[in-house]
Amino acid sequence: MTTPEPSSAPATESPAAPVLSVRGLGVRFRMRGGRHIAAVTDATFDLAAGECLALVGESGCGKSVLASALLGLLPANARTTGSAVLRGAGPAGAVDLLTADERTLARTVRGRRVGLVPQSPAAHLTPVRTVRSQLAEVLREVTGVRGPALPRAVEAAAERAAYPADHLDRYPHELSGGLAQRAATALALIGDAPLLLADEPTTGLDRELVDRTADELRRHTDDGRALLMITHDLAAAERIADRVAVMYAGRIVELGPAEGFFGPAGPRHPYARGLLDALPERGFTAIPGMPPELGDLPDGCAFADRCPRVTDLCATLPALTPADGSSVACHHAEERVDA
């Protein structure tokens, strides 16, 4: 069920006309006993053609729920608010992904206007069919390729995702996690959808394949398509992202250019800085404490209990506001990092 919500002001917009405009997106799950869990709250961003936005954060922060909302793949106990408008030229037109019916999503959006690299690829592959037959089916449906050209098109689709041709006749249960990931990526890239959602696209891959997959996704973007990459892999995000959005406890707490985020100045939000400091090459310093339960969020800043800068101001919820070229939800965003 979707209900309207007042639009939020966009934060650190992409420079070109957006393919996707998300305003005030919220997802709440109704649990037994009437309890609600706010998995995503007031997410607002634009994503332009030719741009990669990396959505990063710890497990359970709401990243994958946001992607599922965009594709209409939430469970029945989910309630969404806000809007997520996918724009298109010609007869395709604009569609609000949060209010579109299942027929529209299944026939004209998923796989055609929006591609998905799923977080759990094995669960999205048909278990009783080989990878070759699944690639062939998607090629026929999405691109119309048939006849003598189809076998070569299948091999080209596999090669694009570094999926080995001598494994095309294997079934999903015969694949390693990395091979399943590459098969899912190959399926998602067919048709060159204007928007690609890649949910942990480098899971299970060694560093060489991570870089190759990231570079292919970047080429997909450089050809004029939009990419929303949900990832724990900050090295992959640094390699290909134009902007970075950091989620914590269901909210975007920082949104800005990747160059600044990964550069000498670094991010402005203490949580975002903590994510970088936890990397082996940057000190390997873990963020103390644990994220709050999404069903029991505080009234103020959700990061306050783990934050070295916490003051009485943090008892009130900070808004996402401009700060040094980015948008940051922190009362202390303008303070010096080493303060």
Side-chain angles (χ1 to χ4, degrees):
M1 176 180 178
T2 304
T3 58
E5 183 175 281
S7 296
S8 302
T12 314
E13 296 296 353
S14 52
V19 172
L20 176 69
S21 292
V22 175
R23 295 291 180 272
L25 191 158
V27 180
R28 293 170 65 88
F29 294 102
R30 182 179 177 85
M31 312 304 288
R32 290 181 179 178
R35 188 169 68 100
H36 287 82
I37 293 178
V40 179
T41 302
D42 198 27
T44 295
F45 60 89
D46 281 348
L47 185 55
E51 180 186 36
C52 171
L53 174 64
L55 187 60
V56 304
E58 292 169 294
S59 295
C61 71
K63 305 185 303 295
S64 294
V65 173
L66 188 153
S68 295
L70 296 178
L71 285 166
L73 296 176
L74 293 169
N77 66 329
R79 177 177 176 269
T80 61
T81 54
S83 64
V85 178
L86 178 67
R87 293 184 171 85
V95 58
D96 188 339
L97 299 174
L98 302 186
T99 59
D101 57 54
E102 175 58 25
R103 179 186 177 92
T104 299
L105 291 171
R107 294 196 174 189
T108 67
V109 174
R110 299 188 199 117
R112 290 169 172 80
R113 298 179 63 181
V114 182
L116 172 67
V117 180
Q119 184 179 25
S120 302
H124 283 73
L125 298 172
T126 304
V128 296
R129 299 182 61 189
T130 65
V131 174
R132 184 189 301 276
S133 68
Q134 292 181 63
L135 287 170
E137 179 183 21
V138 174
L139 280 163
R140 284 192 297 265
E141 290 185 356
V142 175
T143 69
V145 175
R146 286 176 169 78
L150 186 57
R152 178 58 195 137
V154 167
E155 293 180 1
E159 182 180 1
R160 189 174 178 186
Y163 186 90
D166 58 357
H167 287 52
L168 280 169
D169 293 313
R170 293 191 176 187
Y171 292 88
H173 73 273
E174 299 176 303
L175 306 180
S176 66
L179 280 173
Q181 186 67 61
R182 282 181 272 170
T185 301
L187 288 165
L189 291 173
I190 290 173
D192 292 320
L195 172 62
L196 181 65
L197 304 183
D199 193 354
E200 302 292 355
T202 59
T203 297
L205 306 181
D206 61 34
R207 197 72 241 170
E208 181 181 353
L209 283 173
V210 165
D211 291 344
R212 179 166 175 176
T213 299
D215 290 346
E216 183 56 50
L217 292 174
R218 184 68 243 185
R219 280 191 289 273
H220 178 86
T221 307
D222 288 340
D223 286 340
R225 303 173 188 93
L227 170 63
L228 178 61
M229 183 172 72
I230 296 166
T231 185
H232 290 93
D233 190 341
L234 292 178
E238 183 176 11
R239 190 177 181 92
I240 69 170
D242 298 293
R243 291 188 300 147
V244 177
V246 181
M247 285 194 77
Y248 184 77
R251 290 182 179 271
I252 293 177
V253 297
E254 182 158 358
L255 174 60
E259 183 178 9
F261 186 91
F262 292 107
R268 302 305 300 247
H269 196 283
Y271 172 67
R273 181 163 289 276
L275 289 178
L276 287 181
D277 288 343
L279 295 174
E281 63 270 23
R282 299 204 183 205
F284 211 34
T285 304
I287 302 173
M290 295 292 291
E293 293 290 336
L294 293 177
D296 188 27
L297 294 175
D299 293 332
C301 175
F303 189 62
D305 286 346
R306 308 173 72 187
C307 184
R309 300 188 196 177
V310 64
T311 66
D312 291 344
L313 281 174
C314 304
T316 60
L317 186 67
L320 195 65
T321 55
D324 195 27
S326 297
S327 290
V328 186
C330 178
H331 293 298
H332 306 289
E334 296 295 347
E335 296 176 7
R336 287 176 53 84
V337 170
D338 57 357

